Amino acid sequence: MSRYEASGYWYGEGQSAPEAVDLLNLMRRYRDAERKMRAQTRGSMGMNETDMTALRFLLREHRKGEVPRQRDFAEELGISNASVSALIDRLCRDGYAERIMHPADRRSVGIVPTRYSDTEVRETLQQMHERMMSAVDGLSADERRAAAKFLHALIASVEWNEHDLGQSAQRDHELRDVPGSKLASS
Amino acid sequence: MSRYEASGYWYGEGQSAPEAVDLLNLMRRYRDAERKMRAQTRGSMGMNETDMTALRFLLREHRKGEVPRQRDFAEELGISNASVSALIDRLCRDGYAERIMHPADRRSVGIVPTRYSDTEVRETLQQMHERMMSAVDGLSADERRAAAKFLHALIASVEWNEHDLGQSAQRDHELRDVPGSKLASS
DNA sequence: CCTAATAGTTAGACAGTCTACATATATTCT
DNA sequence: AGAATATATGTAGACTGTCTAACTATTAGG
């Protein structure tokens, strides 16, 4: 209990539907749950966020039959080439990946996952993925349509920002006046 | 275009509904869009992830009439007291927060946001939040119900892990032997 | 009072990132 | 072919955010 859902608690068929704010709260709950879960996985594997993301990218590419190069990681992760060098060092040191010569370009280094890393990740993330899949499969066609519409609406709302803002921010850092409070000591 | 939706592209009423995998892909798209957007906001304010999360927590508490202490930040963010000290130093240095004496406990420091920080954040994140609200408001009651059901299902799938794993994770950090593979070069 | 618990700070170490520079290979133009 | 330029990666040194451990100040219990 103590779930804090603002208005509608059940949504059970004939009941009152959830408000927009309830849905956004649910999204936040989902995001937090996922973040927590990923943090746990990372923790148990002794990895940081970036390295974990890199490893998942590597496994994804590998399954597609691609052999990514370091520059691909830099682009995917949004970090510098130098940082990728260090990152791949760590993945290799800990036995998750290996450097091979790239077949087509001798300047490049091909990155491949070890069998170890595949099973390691599969045992954690993929189980959850399968549970999510079967859970969502239990929805009706109409419900899936509605969920997709919902998500499309949210994505559009978020992506709208990227074109709009991005310039006005770093202004007047001096004139900060503090709110009237100052309710110190007592 | 080039949206990659796997099977159903329209979901337009009588059309074929999205598969479970499509919905999970949409969730990923949403997550990536949100992450990107937050990264941009952080960047434009010159802050890192943790500091931004802390500032949003601070504003949330302040609006509720609470005056959080440093230990509250440590708990919320999952970092040590020492790191919170440094974090609050940064927030104060950059004019987003101020330390005040806590009314009830002279050991504690109360943290309050400056008016500056409120407007700064409001101008960025809150606009998006309002757009999301109105977008979701455009859905029908049935659609909102379905979206809620969808999210509940996902949350359950993710949180299931926390009870299941979590103990069998932090074990054997020593004996991890690297795969037999070693399938290096070509 | 004395002891233990709690809130915060400081110091020192470490990890992951960056920029700038260095090296090796590829590509293109005469 | 030879030179100039572009690409892919590696290395060095600095910076930031985190941690643990030790320290001060305050509170709570006996």
Side-chain angles (χ1 to χ4, degrees):
Chain A
M1 285 304 135
S2 82
R3 256 345 191 170
Y4 183 89
E5 224 109 65
S7 62
Y9 286 82
W10 277 122
Y11 327 145
E13 296 316 310
Q15 299 285 24
S16 71
E19 306 276 352
V21 64
D22 300 321
L23 287 177
L24 296 192
N25 279 337
L26 276 177
M27 281 300 273
R28 187 161 72 159
R29 267 183 61 197
Y30 170 75
R31 193 192 56 200
D32 289 349
E34 200 200 63
R35 186 172 45 69
K36 204 159 155 190
M37 184 271 161
R38 281 187 196 280
Q40 207 177 47
T41 300
R42 265 188 288 135
S44 79
M45 292 180 68
M47 296 177 89
N48 63 33
E49 177 69 40
T50 310
D51 291 11
M52 194 61 181
T53 306
L55 180 52
R56 280 191 282 116
F57 169 68
L58 172 58
L59 291 172
R60 214 160 53 220
E61 292 297 297
H62 188 70
R63 244 171 245 140
K64 285 197 294 185
E66 306 284 336
V67 178
R69 294 171 295 175
Q70 294 197 178
R71 61 175 306 271
D72 300 321
F73 286 83
E75 189 179 352
E76 173 77 12
L77 303 171
I79 60 180
S80 70
N81 291 337
S83 301
V84 173
S85 257
L87 186 158
I88 301 295
D89 284 347
R90 290 192 295 275
L91 290 187
C92 292
R93 165 169 57 77
D94 296 341
Y96 297 120
E98 298 215 341
R99 285 183 166 98
I100 63 175
M101 271 190 294
H102 198 277
D105 186 344
R106 265 182 307 181
R107 292 172 304 182
S108 290
V109 175
I111 313 295
V112 292
T114 59
R115 202 174 299 158
Y116 170 68
S117 69
D118 190 58
T119 54
E120 190 80 359
V121 170
R122 192 184 299 273
E123 278 174 6
T124 53
L125 291 182
Q126 198 137 332
Q127 282 180 8
M128 180 191 69
H129 190 260
E130 279 160 17
R131 262 201 313 285
M132 290 169 74
M133 286 287 283
S134 63
V136 174
D137 254 334
L139 300 177
S140 74
D142 276 344
E143 286 168 337
R144 292 202 303 275
R145 255 193 293 273
K149 189 173 171 185
F150 165 73
L151 289 174
H152 275 298
L154 284 194
I155 291 169
S157 300
V158 173
E159 285 182 342
W160 198 71
N161 263 45
E162 293 173 21
H163 310 300
D164 178 42
L165 326 138
Q167 46 269 42
S168 70
Q170 202 65 307
R171 295 165 321 198
D172 37 314
H173 244 197
E174 315 313 313
L175 49 80
R176 55 164 146 152
D177 76 313
V178 177
S181 61
K182 210 72 180 182
L183 44 77
S185 50
S186 91
Chain B
M1 287 306 132
S2 81
R3 260 339 192 177
Y4 182 89
E5 225 108 65
S7 62
Y9 287 81
W10 276 124
Y11 327 142
E13 296 317 310
Q15 300 284 25
S16 71
E19 305 276 352
V21 63
D22 301 319
L23 288 178
L24 296 192
N25 279 336
L26 277 178
M27 280 302 273
R28 185 161 73 161
R29 267 183 60 198
Y30 170 76
R31 193 192 57 200
D32 289 350
E34 199 199 64
R35 185 171 46 70
K36 205 159 155 188
M37 183 271 163
R38 282 188 196 277
Q40 205 176 49
T41 301
R42 266 187 288 136
S44 78
M45 293 179 70
M47 297 177 87
N48 64 34
E49 177 71 38
T50 310
D51 291 12
M52 193 60 179
T53 306
L55 180 52
R56 281 191 281 117
F57 170 68
L58 173 58
L59 292 171
R60 214 158 55 221
E61 292 297 298
H62 188 70
R63 244 171 245 139
K64 284 196 293 186
E66 306 284 337
V67 179
R69 294 172 293 174
Q70 295 198 177
R71 60 176 307 267
D72 300 321
F73 286 82
E75 190 179 351
E76 173 77 12
L77 302 171
I79 60 179
S80 70
N81 292 336
S83 300
V84 173
S85 256
L87 187 157
I88 301 294
D89 283 347
R90 290 192 294 274
L91 289 187
C92 292
R93 163 168 58 77
D94 297 340
Y96 296 119
E98 297 219 336
R99 285 182 167 98
I100 63 175
M101 270 190 293
H102 199 277
D105 187 342
R106 267 182 304 182
R107 289 172 305 182
S108 290
V109 175
I111 313 295
V112 291
T114 60
R115 199 175 297 160
Y116 169 69
S117 69
D118 190 57
T119 55
E120 190 78 0
V121 171
R122 192 184 299 275
E123 277 174 8
T124 54
L125 291 182
Q126 199 136 335
Q127 281 180 11
M128 181 191 70
H129 190 259
E130 280 159 15
R131 261 201 317 285
M132 290 168 73
M133 286 288 282
S134 61
V136 174
D137 255 333
L139 300 177
S140 75
D142 276 345
E143 286 167 337
R144 292 202 302 276
R145 252 192 296 272
K149 189 172 171 185
F150 165 72
L151 289 174
H152 275 298
L154 286 193
I155 291 169
S157 299
V158 174
E159 284 181 342
W160 197 71
N161 264 44
E162 293 171 21
H163 309 302
D164 175 43
L165 302 158
Q167 42 269 44
S168 73
Q170 201 67 307
R171 289 174 321 196
D172 40 310
H173 238 201
E174 316 313 314
L175 49 80
R176 61 180 145 119
D177 76 312
V178 175
S181 63
K182 213 70 181 180
L183 42 77
S185 52
S186 77

